[in-house]
């Protein structure tokens, strides 16, 4: 009786791969590592071991909650059969995610052992980076003023920074915008076509650039005059962390302000070398920013404009002062005889501008005449230095400029 046994020699080493996390990717956290392992003989994978190294200092995960300066590997769990010669595997450890440090780079290495005792010698390695930080709030560039007469795009920038430095994390992924009408009174949000009742309607903005992005949103509503709006922005970085919400409010205003010159009255005579007060009132439906005036010499051509210190051919608007948000305003001008000629008429034009940069549609005007000639007077009665009675005193007066003498 002869007994025969057949054997197959196996000298081929198995091969393992990591499928998650993906090589050279950022992740927000890690609880399970998974992959595959295969061999040239069917159903021949016996074990798989895994190690995790922190690249910056070459410390190794110790299987608990930290990394230390000691090489360590841990057995993975064999999973389902993918094919006769390949299986899936995974490694799960609740302490792993807490041990991973924000902003650091890690390397996973694995090796498989088949049932014939062949060890994988060329370890499979995967690099990943950890981002556990929410990005800072987005920077809103437009709108940037609390009162606007036009707004055709909402735009800004965003970057994934924190105390470890600029752009040291996964980078910005997406920016979102929400627009609210009458934020002080109503809960109406823009949905891309209309304002509707409800919470934030987050609309994805278009973006360019990486890892810092520039973003913009252009499908805006028809802004209503005199209405207040709030713009909210937030971002998501490339691993899904959400930034704080930024808020900016503005009032849309296309109404023009009004202005009135009260003093001087039209064609008022003003003494040469005196101080002329120019004053008036102004109003707007939202908020005034300034009232300006100009003085023009001569009604016809040529026209010259007062600069505050001399005459020029360039139109110059001079600033006024106010104590009550430009509802009442004023300024003074010294009528120096070197610049303001006798018997000459000067025109005053005033305009107001609101905080949306809307200017008065119509200027308010007035004028004044410089009177540098002194009046004369003559006593006609008494007409002698010796008199024996006097019942009244009388005489004549004259102003060469035609003014009324009192």
């Amino acid at each position: 009786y002869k007994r025969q046994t057949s054997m197959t020699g196996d000298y081929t080493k198995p091969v393992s791969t990591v499928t998650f996390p993906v090589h050279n990717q950022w992740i927000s956290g890690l609880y399970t590592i998974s992959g595959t392992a295969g061999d040239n003989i069917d159903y021949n994978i016996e074990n798989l071991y895994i190690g995790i190294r922190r690249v910056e200092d070459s410390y190794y995960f110790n299987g608990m909650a930290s990394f230390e300066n000691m090489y360590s590997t841990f057995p993975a769990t064999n999973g389902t059969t993918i094919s006769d010669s390949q299986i899936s595997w995974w490694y799960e450890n609740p302490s792993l995610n807490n041990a991973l440090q924000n902003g650091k780079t890690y390397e996973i290495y694995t090796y498989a052992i088949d049932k014939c005792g062949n060890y994988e010698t060329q370890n499979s390695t995967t690099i990943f980076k950890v981002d556990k930080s929410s990005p800072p709030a987005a920077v809103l560039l437009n709108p940037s003023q609390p009162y606007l007469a036009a707004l055709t795009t909402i735009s800004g920038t965003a970057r994934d920074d924190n105390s470890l430095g600029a752009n040291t994390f996964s980078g910005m992924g997406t920016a979102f915008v929400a627009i609210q009408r009458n934020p002080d009174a109503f809960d109406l949000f823009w949905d891309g076509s209309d304002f509707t009742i409800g919470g934030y309607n987050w609309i994805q903005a278009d973006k360019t650039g990486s890892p810092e992005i520039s973003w913009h949103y252009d499908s805006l509503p028809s802004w209503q005059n005199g209405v207040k709006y709030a713009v909210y922005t937030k971002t998501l970085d490339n691993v899904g962390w959400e930034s704080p919400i930024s808020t900016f409010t503005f009032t849309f205003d296309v109404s023009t302000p009004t202005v009135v010159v009260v003093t001087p009255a039209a064609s008022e005579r003003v003494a040469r070398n005196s101080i002329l007060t120019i004053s008036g009132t102004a109003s707007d439906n939202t908020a005034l920013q300034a009232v300006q005036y100009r003085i023009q010499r001569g009604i016809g051509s040529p026209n010259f404009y007062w600069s505050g210190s001399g005459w020029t051919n360039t139109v110059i608007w001079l600033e006024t002062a106010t104590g009550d948000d430009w509802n009442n305003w004023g300024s003074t001008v010294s009528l120096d005889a070197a610049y303001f000629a006798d018997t000459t008429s000067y025109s005053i034009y005033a305009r107001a501008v609101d905080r949306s940069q809307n200017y008065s549609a119509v200027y308010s005007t007035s004028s004044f005449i410089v009177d540098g000639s002194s009046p004369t007077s003559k006593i006609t009665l008494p007409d002698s230095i010796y008199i024996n009675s006097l019942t009244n005193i009388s005489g004549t007066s004259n102003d060469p400029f035609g003014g009324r003498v009192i």
Side-chain angles (χ1 to χ4, degrees), residues 218-239:
D218 303 332
S219 299
L220 302 179
S222 296
W223 309 111
Q224 295 181 2
N225 186 36
V227 175
K228 186 177 182 180
Y229 295 89
V231 174
Y232 306 93
T233 59
K234 70 174 183 179
T235 59
L236 295 179
D237 67 17
N238 284 323
V239 297

Side-chain angles (χ1 to χ4, degrees), residues 35 44 72-73 102 108 111 155 161 164 238 246 265 287 402 405:
N44 199 36
S72 301
T73 60
N102 192 26
I108 301 170
Y111 66 90
S155 61
D161 298 354
L164 297 181
N238 284 323
S246 298
V405 179

